[in-house]
Every structure is written in structure tokens, then in C-alpha cells.
Amino acid sequence: METRFLGNTGLRVSSLCLGTMTFGKNQFGFGDLDLPAVKEMVFASLDAGINFIDTADIYAFGESEDLLGQALEGVRKDVVVATKVRFRMSNKPNAIGASRHHILNSVDASLRRLRTDYIDLYQIHIWDPVTPLEETLRALDDLVRWGKVRYVGASNFAAWQLMKALWVSDKNGWVRFSSLQPLYNLAFRDLETELVPLCLDQKLAILPWSPLAFGYLSGKYDRNRPRPASSRVDGPLAQFLPADWNRIYNIVDVLKEIASCHGVMPAAIALAWLLHKPGVTSVILGVRTMEQLRQNLAAAEVKLSAEEMARLDAVSATPVPYPQWMIRQYGSDR
């Protein structure tokens, strides 16, 4: 499997990353993988060339990290492990946020659960509007200096928040974010307005989560038949990614046509589309079964033509907001 540099660093990660939100009893109602199933999925991924695994302390309230730590015993040094901090972990008043207090407590808890003495990529899971940014970034810098963390990243930041964080780090000589983990897929392309250009300019790796939009793009949904009863999109997160179903079905129609030409499932084409987009370093797979994993792994070998990319871009296109449309039309004279 192809490996790519993690942003402006010398660390190489596989173009596909194994996500672990389905490890343990997930509080969102999907995924309930126990240790044997986790080990099978982890080692199948490693055998396929994946060297990058992403988790978070909030996934199953620490159980995902714990299961991953058990699965990686004996092979930890060969794997780039990413985790995240920010969401509430208990009803204690300080068990939430990006404060120095919560970060330092959380990193030690994650290290214990992961059965390791360092985290390769430690990410702020979402912006904290209360904690001063300097407090958050200084704590992350200390973690790198102390050797508990090797690289730091952000997830679910707006463009101005991410750029401000980079500026604060540069101003103070602190470690800066190397990556952004955002929602990005054919159904939700909002990232391309501001954040993709920012990441390209600042040399940050883009690590898309939910690349199949909670399964919208997997090919299992068809405009001519009812959605499966066990569908994730009708569960506890039904309103999390609001779907324009007519647009989704149009995208899936094209995915199926292109997939038939490559001999893979539509999901692999949706993942491959992301791997062909500027700035994307590694795409995070969220799978519940070994069959889903095998289907998704096929994306690493798919080479889409310029014509196929253009078809997918066209069918998934959304209106360009201001000032981007004006910049494109009138600001390119230089």
C-alpha cells in the first residue's frame, strides 16, 4: 500500500487508516466489536499494508483505546497510533475540554489504555470555545517535549480556528498542528471552500473521517428499494449527517457505473476519489465487518482516470459560496 508524508513531517503513513469507532460497545448505537474481532481486523489491516490506526478517548468511553492497546501488544512499534482528546469523559466538571488540566489527565489515561509510552499523533477533537488557545497549544507543546506525544493535530476546526492555532504556535515557537481530521466525502464537500486551500498552503495532512458518509456512499442504498432496517442513518445519529437523498442517489449511480468497470464495490470508488484529491494523506476507514474491510481495502489499488474523477466531481458538485466564486471568476488575473 502507498505511504504518504504526514503533512510537513518526515513521518510516512499508509494511504488508508483503520478507524476504531466500532471497537467496543459504541455509545452511538453502531459497532460492538470484542477483542477477538478487533484483533482479526487489526492484523488483517496490517497484513494489507496499513500502518496507521486512529482512535479517540471518547469512543466507547475509552474501551476502543483499551481494545486497540491489547491488539497491538507485540507490534506497537510498527504502527502509527493516533488518538484524540476534548469531549466529556465523566460528569466531573473538568473532565471535558482542551484545558491543560484535561489534556494532561487525558493523555496519561490514553497511554494506559493503549499500553504504550507514547502517542504518535495526538489530536484536539473539536474547538474549545472556553479555553484560551495559548493554554491548549502550550500543553500540547509540553507533551511533545516530554516525549509522551510525537506529533499533534486538529479535528473539526473551522478555517479561522485552525489558522489562528498555527499562528499562535509559530509566534511562540511551539509545535504546530501537522494534520487536520475533518468530515470529507463525495456527499459533504464543504471542506473544499476554505480548509483544503488552507491545508495545502500550510502543508497540513488531511485525514478524512466518514469517507462513505455513514454508509450513504457504500452502494447499499438504492432509490428503488427501502433502506435496510438496521441502517446507521436511521439510528441515534439519523440527523447527524442530513442527507439530500436525491443527490446521494445520483452520486451512487455514478459510483456503481465506475465500480463495475474496475471490478470493485462502489465504496472503493468513493474512497479512491478521496485518495485522488489534493492534500488528502490518509482516509480513515470505519468498518464493522471483515467483509466491509476487504471491500474498502480495494480502494488502495484503484486508479481513477481524469474522466472518472470529472464525472464524480460533477455529480457531487455543490454551489460555490462567496467570496470563492468571485475569486475564481475575477481574481485569477495574476
Side-chain angles (χ1 to χ4, degrees):
M1 184 178 297
E2 178 188 6
T3 60
R4 301 174 177 182
F5 286 110
L6 184 78
N8 195 29
T9 78
L11 181 69
R12 296 190 73 94
V13 296
S14 51
S15 59
L16 296 178
C17 170
L18 179 64
T20 65
M21 202 171 182
T22 57
F23 291 10
K25 191 171 291 295
N26 187 285
Q27 64 265 46
F28 302 112
F30 58 87
D32 189 11
L33 300 183
D34 59 12
L35 184 58
V38 166
K39 285 185 174 181
E40 182 183 22
M41 190 166 287
V42 166
F43 281 94
S45 298
L46 298 181
D47 288 344
I50 287 178
N51 75 339
F52 190 21
I53 303 180
D54 177 77
T55 186
D57 58 2
I58 192 62
Y59 296 167
F61 293 108
E63 189 182 2
S64 171
E65 286 184 329
D66 183 66
L67 289 168
L68 178 60
Q70 293 182 68
L72 290 179
E73 286 187 304
V75 296
R76 168 67 183 93
K77 64 181 178 61
D78 299 320
V79 181
V80 176
V81 175
T83 192
K84 298 180 283 293
V85 60
R86 158 63 173 85
F87 286 111
R88 179 172 291 284
M89 292 296 289
S90 79
N91 60 2
K92 304 294 184 183
N94 290 307
I96 186 174
S99 68
R100 182 179 184 87
H101 177 93
H102 185 57
I103 287 173
L104 297 191
N105 285 346
S106 297
V107 75
D108 286 340
S110 289
L111 288 168
R112 285 194 299 272
R113 288 189 292 261
L114 289 166
R115 292 163 171 76
T116 184
D117 55 5
Y118 67 95
I119 293 165
D120 295 284
L121 178 63
Y122 200 47
Q123 302 156 105
I124 301 298
H125 211 152
I126 197 169
W127 176 261
D128 182 348
V130 176
T131 303
L133 193 52
E134 289 80 2
E135 178 180 343
T136 299
L137 297 173
R138 177 57 194 270
L140 294 177
D141 186 70
D142 284 340
L143 292 181
V144 173
R145 292 177 187 273
W146 298 339
K148 292 186 177 184
V149 167
R150 295 187 172 178
Y151 302 93
V152 296
S155 181
N156 305 304
F157 273 40
W160 73 266
Q161 295 165 347
L162 183 56
M163 194 65 237
K164 182 177 180 180
L166 294 172
W167 174 76
V168 169
S169 293
D170 289 346
K171 181 182 73 166
N172 289 285
W174 297 335
V175 64
R176 70 192 329 247
F177 290 138
S178 296
S179 61
L180 174 68
Q181 186 178 138
L183 172 68
Y184 188 24
N185 54 58
L186 275 162
F188 296 90
R189 296 177 59 181
D190 314 70
L191 194 78
E192 294 173 347
T193 301
E194 291 281 3
L195 282 162
V196 168
L198 190 163
C199 290
L200 291 172
D201 179 74
Q202 293 296 308
K203 298 181 172 59
L204 269 65
I206 299 173
L207 312 172
W209 60 265
S210 196
L212 300 179
F214 278 13
Y216 295 167
L217 306 173
S218 65
K220 66 182 178 182
Y221 301 113
D222 189 293
R223 70 175 82 240
N224 298 314
R225 63 176 185 268
R227 294 195 296 274
S230 61
S231 168
R232 187 186 309 183
V233 301
D234 294 319
L237 295 180
Q239 301 304 314
F240 186 70
L241 295 183
D244 176 347
W245 280 105
N246 187 58
R247 179 169 171 270
I248 297 293
Y249 291 142
N250 290 339
I251 295 171
V252 170
D253 287 344
V254 177
L255 287 172
K256 288 180 176 179
E257 291 176 16
I258 296 176
S260 66
C261 296
H262 288 266
V264 297
M265 299 298 290
I269 301 300
L271 297 170
W273 176 84
L274 275 172
L275 290 173
H276 285 67
K277 299 303 282 186
V280 172
T281 297
S282 186
V283 175
I284 300 171
L285 308 180
V287 296
R288 289 179 286 177
T289 68
M290 288 299 297
E291 181 59 26
Q292 289 175 345
L293 178 63
R294 283 188 285 269
Q295 292 174 3
N296 289 358
L297 287 171
E301 306 303 322
V302 173
K303 303 300 179 186
L304 297 174
S305 68
E307 179 185 2
E308 290 170 331
M309 286 295 293
R311 288 185 65 196
L312 290 167
D313 285 343
V315 74
S316 63
T318 54
V320 178
Y322 172 86
Q324 280 71 27
W325 63 261
M326 188 167 184
I327 292 169
R328 291 184 188 181
Q329 285 183 239
Y330 304 108
S332 59
D333 55 337
R334 296 286 285 168

